[in-house]
Amino acid sequence: MTALPTPAIPTTRMASLRWIVADAGVLLRRNLIHWTRKPFVLLYSLFWPIMVVLIFGFIFGSAMQVPGGGDYRQFLMPGLFGQTMLFGAVTTLTIVTNDVARGVTDRFRSMPMSSAAVVLGRNFADMFHSAVELLLLVLCGLAIGWRWHHGVAQALAAVGLLLLLRFSLIWVGIYMGLLVPQEAAGAAFIPLYPISLLANTFVSPSQMPVWLRVIAEWNPLSATVGACGRLFGNPGRTGGSWPAHHSLLLAIAWPLLIIVIFLPLSVRRWRNLGG
């Protein structure tokens, strides 16, 4: 039997970078092929936010009051954009736990490929998936009457903040996916529901009791949603508190803090996997 040649390990910085990008591209293609072969997984993840738009926009929305006045559907959409980015962490976690349980992760670790490419490939695939989700949700919002009012540049800045939040949560999903067993992945939604509700997603924190208001205003999700609401020019997210007034600053600071914490934890967990 003829032994397969072992690829040479790059010795220069540029060669290492090309090696990482090439391997990450292969893994990105692998992840995208999975979605084409299992389209129901992608359709299910897109079905949920669209269903929430219709339920809250046309059923519960009639009973909601927007602080300062304004249409509730205009208030609602930035919250749903943020919630979709938050729940994307479960998608990452589920895929990572499945790869660990099926031995795919161990197979990658045994191959002569860059370890950084594995997590980068996961990042690229999840960011692509999130961008598609966000695009469809924007189209859904436009169909029910939601609009941005401060120009294309500020609207794109808001989209950038949403994707920054999603990028930070990918590292949370990777770390948790490498930490918990496959059976526990389905329970990941349990802590995310109160996080998404105890924020300015569906109602303004100013309408909550004081002790809940403080928690909701400092919620990282509230920062992104509040900043996006302002950039889109949608009503109801003005407030006198420091977090509400500096939502744009916090919308950048919170995701960066999450990345600083969970990126090294994910890398460390990956290196020690099976040890």
Side-chain angles (χ1 to χ4, degrees), residues 75-90:
F75 172 87
L76 174 67
M77 290 310 300
L80 290 182
F81 296 151
Q83 186 189 55
T84 302
M85 297 298 102
L86 176 69
F87 285 171
V90 179

Side-chain angles (χ1 to χ4, degrees), residues 65-108:
Q65 297 294 323
V66 178
D71 182 78
Y72 181 71
R73 287 196 284 272
Q74 296 284 326
F75 172 87
L76 174 67
M77 290 310 300
L80 290 182
F81 296 151
Q83 186 189 55
T84 302
M85 297 298 102
L86 176 69
F87 285 171
V90 179
T91 302
T92 304
L93 186 153
T94 302
I95 294 173
V96 172
T97 55
N98 286 341
D99 280 350
V100 173
R102 292 164 54 201
V104 176
T105 303
D106 288 336
R107 177 62 175 159
F108 287 154

Side-chain angles (χ1 to χ4, degrees), residues 89 92-93 96-97 100 119 122-123 168-181 258 261-270 272-273:
T92 304
L93 186 153
V96 172
T97 55
V100 173
V119 290
R122 180 75 270 140
N123 267 279
S168 70
L169 293 174
I170 286 175
W171 293 105
V172 179
I174 290 175
Y175 176 67
M176 295 304 298
L178 295 175
L179 192 66
V180 303
I258 293 171
I261 294 174
F262 282 94
L263 192 155
L265 284 177
S266 300
V267 172
R268 183 177 179 182
R269 181 64 187 170
W270 169 266
N272 295 333
L273 204 62

